[in-house]
Amino acid sequence: MDRGVTATPVRTKEIDKVAEAHSPLAQFEIKRLVPIQIGDLDASFTNSALFMVFTVVLVTIFLVLGMRRNALVPGRWQSMAELSYIFIANMVRDTAGPEGRRFFPFIFTLFMFVLVGNMLGMVPYGFAYTSHIIVTFSIALIIFIGVTVVGFAKHGIRFFGFFLPPGTPLLMAPLAVPIEIISYLSRPVSLSVRLFANMLAGHTLIKVFAGFIVSMGVFGFVPFAFVFALTGLELLIAFLQAYVFTVLTCLYLHDALHMH
Amino acid sequence: MSAESPPEPDLEDLDSRLKQARDNIRGPFEKKEGNEPLRSAVGLAFRVTVELVSALAVGLGIGWVLDEWLGTRPWLMILFILLGGAAGMLNVYRLAMSSGGSRGNGDTGKDQGNR
């Protein structure tokens, strides 16, 4: 700031702009909008929570108002709503099997929540709550616990057989079982880290290149082109990661329902 | 007779048109994944890394907690890091098997549903 005061007005503006864009990580900062304190628990309404509310409202509007007309020949909006339904319904049927249909509402909610969350992160001044490991890990943990409960509810005690793949010699069991258990426990970790890392890396990269636009002056069009291309790529990744997240959930559900 | 004969070709026609429409609906999404070889290759590499590291981290965590609990530092941690590495390899092996190896496209539901 001191340097800005001593420099020429034009220079000041530039430095301010650079200073404003100083940290590519500033966009992930959690801000308390409405501080709420319950005992020792900080339950403040943050910008992250705000965007989750946005997501829920947007998805609800998209689906409820889109299907309000409920026309036999759908308009554009209704088509989009129906297309998202068909997309997830096919995914659940193909990946989790016919028994997975019962879990369609959960899978659909999950997909819309992650997808719209990713997309809201692409809106200027938006906040991508999926770029926070605590959010993705919480979702992954809910999935993990839910899928395990489903497995035990369906197969009872035989679900433990999941940890000893068929055809394993009994002599190998002391080695194979811990490996299988670790492999099983690593699912929520890999599921959450994949989504979070993709979103975090993408947004940081865009911000870093965007910072170069100002500091490179006339040649700023080079990083601008990068940002332009990266934004397109990020939109693809936002969709792809929501898709992968949902497909893997279906896959875990399939494993719990059918045990391989 | 004249009332009954027209519906039959109509139904067949409808059937084929329905089939085509269904293929069209599902086509774009499945093609989308395969059309970007570079992107899927990078994606697969990233997935492999995440699978390896997460299994290793879980193994490390279990070993550390057990060591704290049983007071056997550092032995269980060493053991579980090795097991975690093996679990990571297993994850990657399964990932590679389900995606059809070198095609580098592990995300279509059909391929993975088979395992």
Side-chain angles (χ1 to χ4, degrees):
Chain A
M1 278 299 126
D2 278 345
R3 277 177 60 205
V5 174
T6 51
T8 60
V10 183
R11 196 82 190 120
T12 314
K13 220 173 164 186
E14 236 176 62
I15 286 172
D16 274 351
K17 266 188 192 162
V18 173
E20 199 184 335
H22 65 292
S23 171
L25 297 178
Q27 58 178 320
F28 303 116
E29 206 177 319
I30 299 270
K31 299 182 191 79
R32 285 184 188 80
L33 301 179
V34 183
I36 303 168
Q37 194 82 21
I38 305 171
D40 286 339
L41 192 73
D42 183 9
S44 302
F45 190 80
T46 60
N47 53 348
S48 177
L50 179 71
F51 273 88
M52 287 182 204
V53 172
F54 276 164
T55 302
V56 173
V57 170
L58 267 177
V59 172
T60 309
I61 288 174
F62 172 63
L63 291 173
V64 173
L65 292 189
M67 295 308 290
R68 194 184 45 176
R69 294 269 308 282
N70 202 8
L72 199 59
V73 180
R76 290 198 190 101
W77 195 352
Q78 193 184 335
S79 274
M80 286 200 294
E82 285 179 2
L83 200 65
S84 56
Y85 175 90
I86 291 168
F87 181 51
I88 301 301
N90 281 339
M91 184 200 288
V92 171
R93 197 185 53 225
D94 288 349
T95 315
E99 297 95 325
R101 290 307 298 249
R102 278 196 297 155
F103 302 96
F104 172 79
F106 175 71
I107 307 280
F108 187 73
T109 312
L110 187 73
F111 177 75
M112 291 313 261
F113 188 70
V114 174
L115 177 69
V116 177
N118 288 351
M119 287 302 178
L120 280 182
M122 292 307 297
V123 177
Y125 298 101
F127 179 88
Y129 54 77
T130 43
S131 62
H132 282 259
I133 182 85
I134 189 66
V135 174
T136 57
F137 190 70
S138 303
I139 301 175
L141 211 56
I142 292 169
I143 293 165
F144 177 74
I145 293 171
V147 161
T148 311
V149 167
V150 166
F152 275 112
K154 190 159 164 70
H155 301 286
I157 206 78
R158 281 190 300 125
F159 190 63
F160 280 114
F162 188 76
F163 297 119
L164 191 66
T168 314
L170 216 58
L171 201 67
M172 291 287 283
L175 190 62
V177 170
I179 290 177
E180 285 288 340
I181 289 177
I182 292 174
S183 168
Y184 189 70
L185 289 177
S186 74
R187 281 173 169 189
V189 179
S190 64
L191 189 64
S192 55
V193 165
R194 188 178 305 116
L195 176 60
F196 134 84
N198 266 292
M199 299 318 291
L200 186 78
H203 282 87
T204 310
L205 204 61
I206 286 186
K207 194 66 181 280
V208 166
F209 276 109
F212 285 156
I213 295 177
V214 178
S215 57
M216 279 176 74
V218 189
F219 296 101
F221 67 89
V222 179
F224 181 76
F226 264 113
V227 171
F228 186 74
L230 274 176
T231 305
L233 186 68
E234 271 305 294
L235 283 171
L236 178 73
I237 289 177
F239 175 77
L240 212 60
Q241 285 307 314
Y243 174 77
V244 168
F245 197 86
T246 321
V247 161
L248 284 173
T249 305
C250 291
L251 196 65
Y252 297 161
L253 198 60
H254 172 88
D255 280 353
L257 290 171
H258 305 281
M259 293 181 65
H260 291 295
Chain B
M1 276 300 159
S2 58
E4 207 153 318
S5 52
E8 272 184 308
D10 259 3
L11 271 182
E12 259 173 44
D13 183 42
L14 189 68
D15 190 41
S16 66
R17 275 194 296 162
L18 262 178
K19 210 171 259 174
Q20 202 175 9
R22 284 197 186 117
D23 287 348
N24 280 345
I25 285 172
R26 301 179 54 173
F29 292 115
E30 296 193 352
K31 269 184 225 152
K32 206 177 219 164
E33 316 302 322
N35 272 349
E36 274 126 327
L38 179 71
R39 178 60 214 155
S40 344
V42 172
L44 187 71
F46 185 75
R47 280 188 63 181
V48 166
T49 315
V50 169
E51 294 287 351
L52 269 177
V53 172
S54 63
L56 201 64
V58 168
L60 182 86
I62 291 175
W64 189 75
V65 168
L66 284 180
D67 265 347
E68 287 290 296
W69 185 40
L70 300 171
T72 49
R73 194 188 283 267
W75 300 109
L76 284 180
M77 197 153 140
I78 293 172
L79 176 70
F80 273 91
I81 287 176
L82 293 176
L83 288 177
M89 290 293 177
L90 187 69
N91 284 348
V92 172
Y93 173 77
R94 284 191 177 143
L95 181 71
M97 285 298 106
S98 62
S99 69
S102 60
R103 278 201 298 127
N105 176 13
D107 299 334
T108 53
K110 266 184 193 158
D111 288 357
Q112 295 208 335
N114 289 337
R115 82 159 223 229

